[in-house]
Amino acid sequence: MTEVSMTVNGKPVKADVPDNTLLVQFIRENLRLTGTHVGCDTSQCGACVVHLNGKAVKSCATLAVAANGADVTTIEGLANGEMHPMQTAFKENHGLQCGFCTPGMIMTATDMVARYDANGKELTEAAIREELEGNICRCTGYHNIVKAIADGASKMASS
Amino acid sequence: MEMSGEYSIDAPIAEVWAALNDIEILKVCIPGCEELEQVSETEMTAKVALKIGPVKARFNGVVTFENITPPEGYSIVGEGQGGVAGFAKGGADVRLVEDGDKTVLTYQAKAQVGGKIAQLGSRLIKSTAAKLADKFFKNFRDALVAEVASA
Amino acid sequence: MSEGIGARVLRKEDKRFLIGKGRYTDDIIEQNQAYAAFVRSPHAHAIVKSIDASAAEAMDGVVAVLNGAGLTGDGIGNIICGWGVTSKDGSPMNMGAWSALATDKVRYVGDAVAIVIADSIDQARLAAEAVEVDYEALPVVVQSDAALEDGAPQIHENAPNNLIFDWEIGEEDATDTALAGAAYTTEMDIVNNRLSPNAMEPRAAIATFNEADDHYTLYTTSQNPHVARLVLSAFYNVAPEHKLRVIAPDVGGGFGSKIYIYPEEIACLWASMKTNRSVKWTSDRTEAFLTDAHGRDHITHAKIGFDKDHKIVGLKVDTKANLGAYMSLFSSATPTYLYATLLSGQYNIANIHCNVKAVYTNTVPVDAYRGAGRPEASYVMERMMETAAREMGVSPTELRRKNFVQEFPHQTPVIMAYDSGDFAANQDQAMKAADYADFEARRTEAASRGKLRGIGFSNYIEACGIAPSAAVGSLGAGVGLWESAEVRVNPVGTIEVLTGSHSHGQGHETTFAQIVAERFGLPTENIQIVHGDTDKVQFGMGTYGSRSGAVGMSAIVKAMDKVEAKVKKIGAHVLEASEDDIIIEDGAVKVKGTDKQMLWHEVGLAAYTAHNIPEGMEPGLKETSFYDPSNFTFPAGCYICEVEVDPETGTTEIVQFVASDDFGTIINPMIVEGQVHGGIAQGIGQALLEGVVYDDSGQLLSASYMDYTMPRADDLPSYSVHHQSTECPGNPLGMKGCGEAGAIGSPPAVINAITDAIGNNDLSMPATPAKVWAAIQAASAKQAAE
């Protein structure tokens, strides 16, 4: 057992966990933040994406101890009273159906927009599709997710 | 899947044959071998730890010698259970041919895996199995040459 | 009315998913919860000689290790197939026994032999690893054609040569005669590749036995919780129906794979009773590949004949359907009544004969996956039409048009009676949207870049709205396929609609509210859709086969009819008017031609206070309906795919994908388009990327996302989706269904486009770069030889 402490969605948290505890287990089981999902066991589907110190990571491929001292944001912490512009964009563009991949998609999308913005690069449709390499959706065929991310990017820019 | 290989060993055929039947040498040469115990003339039990792609497993198995024709060769047949990782089974026909004071060892091996190793490691099994077989016979050659040299 | 039928209303259910507050089965924790892990066979076919659980039982945290002998000993019944199909010689199908936990024999890799219950999931998994099972491996067969050969390994004793049934439909002699007299014929061998459904939420179950009441609660990832309860109680004897509550909370996609009642739910319920603990099981992805019912897996030979004017004279189809190691719930219906009955396509064909052999193999059970039989039929028909057009040297669009059914109703020779459609209109719309007229210029331009550009068509038809109960009953179905609804107007005028349909991505909470909003002139925010809980909803047959609109919503309409009738009576009584003069609009009950009205909530209150309602009327305002459809519905459409193939690498890029669908009435175009997008993506996945791979020893080699190629965003194009609707005459809303069309219509369009590009009709799915490259080489070798 190892004691881990980190800030999750702005709140300090602390727990003793077995050394092999994954960050996603810590988030779901210890913190009961169940918006972060597990859709595969080989870190390929992206349903578990959270932000670790501001960057998107797959929480199923990160040990909880590796996040010790870190600042973690999950889907539950993204909205600030009202929905984040990316969340609104997913709703307005029908970018979700069953909702299972959605939290990971949104965490990936906000990270994507921030990175392209920081690097001064244009987030084209082709770029969005390429950036979604690590996120699988089985419902939407991605069409509306791609639209939602483009719309979310412009909403984020103007908010 | 099937594999084969050929090695020239710098030792006379009698010594190579003896080594092929020496459990201590085999134990050192089998990659990942943790235990190898003789239970009868032709039967051994083994514990072998292996990693194939993302799957790590410890196999408990039985190894038997068949078609023994000293000093020309034998068939070695094994089957191991790796718990949820699955199972592995296979066999190799090992042939020795005298080549002056050297010996040429050839083998033809077949292997089959099942369970999680097959499910997650399928792309890697063939290359891993070939690598393991190659490693065994290389180890064997090196161990034998070292033993001959130290004797 | 901005939120009524036809409005692009944003989804009511979205918020909870967007903010991470969805409630999926694995998110739920029961008090006193233990965790289950299954001990699964690593062998595809083996005798279970013994199970030694002593080491596992002694491990930390282990509550129990239970096996098949205990399960059957407690009277838990075998898993059943719910649709009896009769062979052409009159004999019933040969259904082999399937116990939730194998007793004497395992028949596929992943077959469960024991369940381990422990305090934590890690403890359960470690202990499962320590259960020692002694197997005696048996010979294995994984392909349906090999399984039928003499001397093939025998999987179930009561199915000689692994044949489950040998079934036929249509007139064989007449079809043979028609084909013998045909001016042109085309013959093809067509394989429909085996797929894994891959809903993103893995299956899960939490079973809780309450010994105080002898009552069970099951949370499960189900598309049809009531069917689950019915089957669990009536056939598996887990608990009597009134002592079992099944809840399917938010469910993360289904695509057919969550229709069935699997061994895991049965074992968890039983284990909960045995251990007096809540028992939770959540599949991991590899377990999902190993145990979720697969789809498709047909091997077909087909022959089509045309007269000298290119009119179809006959179609003969011979199919071997791989059903896997056991018969899953709908497995017998999928390759028969959901497949061969659609082989007439959109065409007027006088003679059709189809023979289907269903076969056991040492693989995961195969059952309905998005489209279920209809993608297989559409793939056969549309590849045959395109190939025949090429062989006869005629336009593939003209050939289809010449053979379209144009008058309705149209009785096909294979049961179905098409009720409506305008196939030419869909084709026109799609061709226009795809700018077909300019295609040759695009092909030439692509050639200048060294690319092979091709175009492919697919004119699919399917049958939805499953289905008239008496009709399916006569064909062997074990249940009726109606749907139920309850419309509850509360005293304050808000409305709850309880439906037997289940939403797992389809947006029912929005579309179902829209039809209520339309009828009573209320905002959708005042309407709540309740589903997925057998304690709340009276009954339901669930969501599959694109039936929730045509059947589920029709039930709501019928219940609303009853509500409306009662509201009018109350209105007439209170407003002192004739019932005939009462109208309901804009949330009020009005007397036509006057300014007299009651607001909607006043009617609700009047009904519940019952101070002033017509004499003899019961208080309250709640009505129910069981709606049994009068016919299947027939969505149809035209899909056009345009590809560019790189001849150096065999890589295919889809450069354009156009869909024109006839879904009848559309409630919410935004949601319908989303359904089409998702269906097309799965169809493109089947055509280009996906395929389940077993090796000869029955090991599943494609058991993770490292090896099973899921379509990702950069594999897919944006889609150009259009509608051209004819109203369905068979149900009150005129709906046909839209959930599966994309997956049904798209695979032949993609393959027809690639074969057009490369000039070789011999190409199978998934058309990987290696296969396409080889087909290009074969085509140029053939050309050189000529």
Side-chain angles (χ1 to χ4, degrees), chain C residues 44-384:
Chain C
H45 199 192
I47 293 168
V48 179
K49 289 164 74 180
S50 64
I51 301 170
D52 180 359
S54 54
E57 282 164 343
M59 290 169 72
D60 274 354
V62 172
V63 178
V65 181
L66 304 170
N67 62 32
L71 181 104
T72 48
D74 278 359
I76 304 297
N78 284 330
I79 298 172
I80 52 127
C81 173
W83 197 306
V85 167
T86 306
S87 282
K88 56 191 177 191
D89 67 3
S91 59
M93 63 188 188
N94 301 318
M95 181 163 62
W98 183 10
S99 172
L101 297 172
T103 50
D104 52 337
K105 207 174 161 189
V106 287
R107 295 179 175 86
Y108 68 97
V109 171
D111 213 348
V113 292
I115 178 173
V116 178
I117 318 296
D119 290 333
S120 79
I121 183 60
D122 287 345
Q123 288 167 335
R125 285 183 179 155
L126 275 174
E129 223 170 305
V131 175
E132 289 194 17
V133 186
D134 191 8
Y135 297 101
E136 183 186 326
L138 297 169
V140 169
V141 64
V142 298
Q143 299 289 352
S144 57
D145 45 0
L148 287 168
E149 283 171 14
D150 284 336
Q154 181 73 29
I155 297 168
H156 289 276
E157 268 176 27
N158 61 336
N161 275 49
N162 302 310
L163 181 67
I164 300 168
F165 55 75
D166 183 0
W167 173 91
E168 67 175 348
I169 191 169
E171 299 294 331
E172 183 165 26
D173 291 345
T175 305
D176 285 341
T177 306
L179 287 171
Y184 306 93
T185 58
T186 288
E187 274 187 80
M188 291 179 85
D189 286 305
I190 294 173
V191 172
N192 206 286
N193 46 329
R194 187 176 179 115
L195 303 175
S196 175
N198 277 298
M200 290 315 297
E201 181 206 18
R203 288 192 294 117
I206 311 173
T208 302
F209 173 65
N210 177 351
E211 72 172 328
D213 301 323
D214 282 331
H215 184 276
Y216 294 79
T217 303
L218 175 70
Y219 283 92
T220 184
T221 48
S222 175
Q223 299 178 216
N224 34 229
H226 288 87
V227 175
R229 182 174 74 152
L230 169 66
V231 173
L232 282 163
S233 60
F235 297 98
Y236 308 154
N237 307 319
V238 172
E241 226 170 335
H242 66 300
K243 293 287 190 184
L244 173 59
R245 176 184 186 186
V246 178
I247 304 166
D250 286 331
V251 173
F255 315 112
S257 69
K258 292 171 181 170
I259 297 172
Y260 325 113
I261 294 79
Y262 287 90
E264 289 82 8
E265 293 99 82
I266 301 168
C268 284
L269 281 164
W270 174 64
S272 173
M273 183 271 290
K274 297 297 272 189
T275 61
N276 217 357
R277 296 278 294 266
S278 281
V279 174
K280 180 185 205 169
W281 169 77
T282 304
S283 172
D284 64 31
R285 183 54 61 185
T286 291
E287 223 173 356
F289 276 108
L290 286 177
T291 64
D292 291 4
H294 289 171
R296 321 284 192 252
D297 204 344
H298 282 197
I299 299 176
T300 294
H301 181 82
K303 184 175 183 180
I304 189 167
F306 298 83
D307 67 15
K308 60 179 176 24
D309 298 323
H310 306 129
K311 293 252 193 187
I312 304 168
V313 296
L315 172 70
K316 191 164 185 186
V317 178
D318 184 70
T319 294
K320 296 178 185 81
N322 188 342
L323 297 196
Y326 301 101
M327 292 191 76
S328 176
L329 193 66
F330 282 164
S331 60
S332 55
T334 303
T336 52
Y337 295 109
L338 294 175
Y339 163 68
T341 55
L342 275 307
L343 282 170
S344 194
Q346 297 187 353
Y347 314 110
N348 213 327
I349 309 180
N351 301 289
I352 298 176
H353 179 261
C354 178
N355 196 100
V356 178
K357 287 191 169 104
V359 186
Y360 279 124
T361 62
N362 293 116
T363 62
V364 181
V366 178
D367 207 327
Y369 161 58
R370 199 171 196 169
R374 291 151 289 162
E376 295 91 317
S378 155
Y379 188 66
V380 167
M381 199 58 210
E382 291 307 294
R383 283 211 63 194
M384 297 287 287

Side-chain angles (χ1 to χ4, degrees), chain C residues 411-554:
Chain C
Q411 178 64 52
T412 73
V414 280
I415 297 180
M416 293 301 179
Y418 300 162
D419 58 2
S420 60
D422 186 346
F423 306 141
N426 285 109
Q427 192 187 49
D428 286 341
Q429 187 182 45
M431 286 169 71
K432 200 169 160 214
D435 191 12
Y436 181 55
D438 197 40
F439 171 71
E440 286 306 327
R442 295 197 294 275
R443 198 201 293 266
T444 306
E445 187 279 328
S448 74
R449 289 181 281 112
K451 295 287 174 68
L452 304 172
R453 194 159 174 131
I455 195 162
F457 301 85
S458 163
N459 285 62
Y460 76 90
I461 188 163
E462 56 153 332
C464 296
I466 303 172
S469 297
V472 294
S474 73
L475 300 177
V479 290
L481 288 170
W482 41 262
E483 193 49 272
S484 100
E486 180 178 327
V487 174
R488 211 151 73 183
V489 182
N490 296 317
V492 292
T494 57
I495 295 181
E496 280 145 337
V497 176
L498 294 87
T499 169
S501 297
H502 187 275
S503 187
H504 31 279
Q506 295 88 340
H508 294 169
E509 290 171 41
T510 306
T511 47
F512 287 16
Q514 284 181 257
I515 62 169
V516 181
E518 170 93 14
R519 173 68 77 96
F520 299 129
L522 300 168
T524 56
E525 66 176 358
N526 288 4
I527 301 152
Q528 187 77 19
I529 307 300
V530 179
H531 68 100
D533 184 342
T534 59
D535 262 15
K536 293 182 181 166
V537 179
Q538 56 183 2
F539 214 97
M541 296 313 295
T543 289
Y544 40 83
S546 308
R547 69 192 301 275
S548 303
V551 191
M553 286 204 224
S554 294

Side-chain angles (χ1 to χ4, degrees), chain C residues 487-491 562-563 566-567 569-570 573 602-624:
Chain C
V487 174
R488 211 151 73 183
V489 182
N490 296 317
K562 296 179 190 173
V563 168
K566 188 163 182 179
V567 165
K569 283 196 168 70
I570 295 171
H573 177 77
E602 292 173 327
V603 183
L605 199 62
Y608 284 92
T609 55
H611 297 161
N612 184 20
I613 56 176
E615 199 178 324
M617 178 184 272
E618 289 182 15
L621 195 49
K622 184 202 87 165
E623 299 291 347
T624 66

